[in-house]
Amino acid sequence: MRTLCSSTLIGEALLIMFAALVAMQLSDVSTATVWIVSGIAMALCVALCGMINRPGAVAIGWALQIGLIASGFILPTMFALGVVFAGLWWCSVHYGRKVDAFKAARTAAQTAAAQA
């Protein structure tokens, strides 16, 4: 799960940076506002990568996704990115947990076979 979620977050941080560059040209919002909102979102993405295995990290990731969707009221570009990455976050968490459960079951079976 850590690999999937971290990959999603790093990709999200990079696309937020590129969306900020586009938003500065297409939006009526000031450049400072664009960089503040985008900078906070990018910093949260990178910081969350290091916290994926800690309790509450998935909930914080969901809060980040909701925050990005909500930032679409300030920067419309962020709304579309927020929706896309919320879907990617769901896939990362869902399939990451399945892979982790499969690995744990396989390890338990190998341990039981080795002890028998």
Side-chain angles (χ1 to χ4, degrees):
M1 186 168 95
R2 180 181 176 145
T3 303
L4 288 173
C5 290
S6 294
S7 299
T8 299
L9 290 167
I10 292 299
E12 188 171 1
L14 290 172
L15 284 176
I16 289 170
M17 181 184 66
F18 293 130
L21 295 172
V22 171
M24 286 188 320
Q25 301 301 320
L26 299 177
S27 179
D28 293 334
V29 179
S30 71
T31 303
T33 304
V34 169
W35 282 115
I36 289 170
V37 171
S38 300
I40 290 170
M42 288 186 292
L44 286 173
C45 288
V46 172
L48 192 56
C49 283
M51 298 178 8
I52 291 297
N53 288 338
R54 295 189 182 178
V58 173
I60 294 169
W62 279 115
L64 174 66
Q65 304 311 319
I66 291 168
L68 285 176
I69 292 170
S71 71
F73 292 111
I74 298 171
L75 304 171
T77 318
M78 299 300 275
F79 179 77
L81 282 176
V83 170
V84 168
F85 276 101
L88 286 173
W89 182 253
W90 177 83
C91 287
S92 297
V93 170
H94 178 71
Y95 292 114
R97 285 182 177 162
K98 282 189 171 189
V99 168
D100 287 350
F102 174 76
K103 285 183 179 180
R106 186 178 63 187
T107 302
Q110 289 173 345
T111 303
Q115 291 176 352

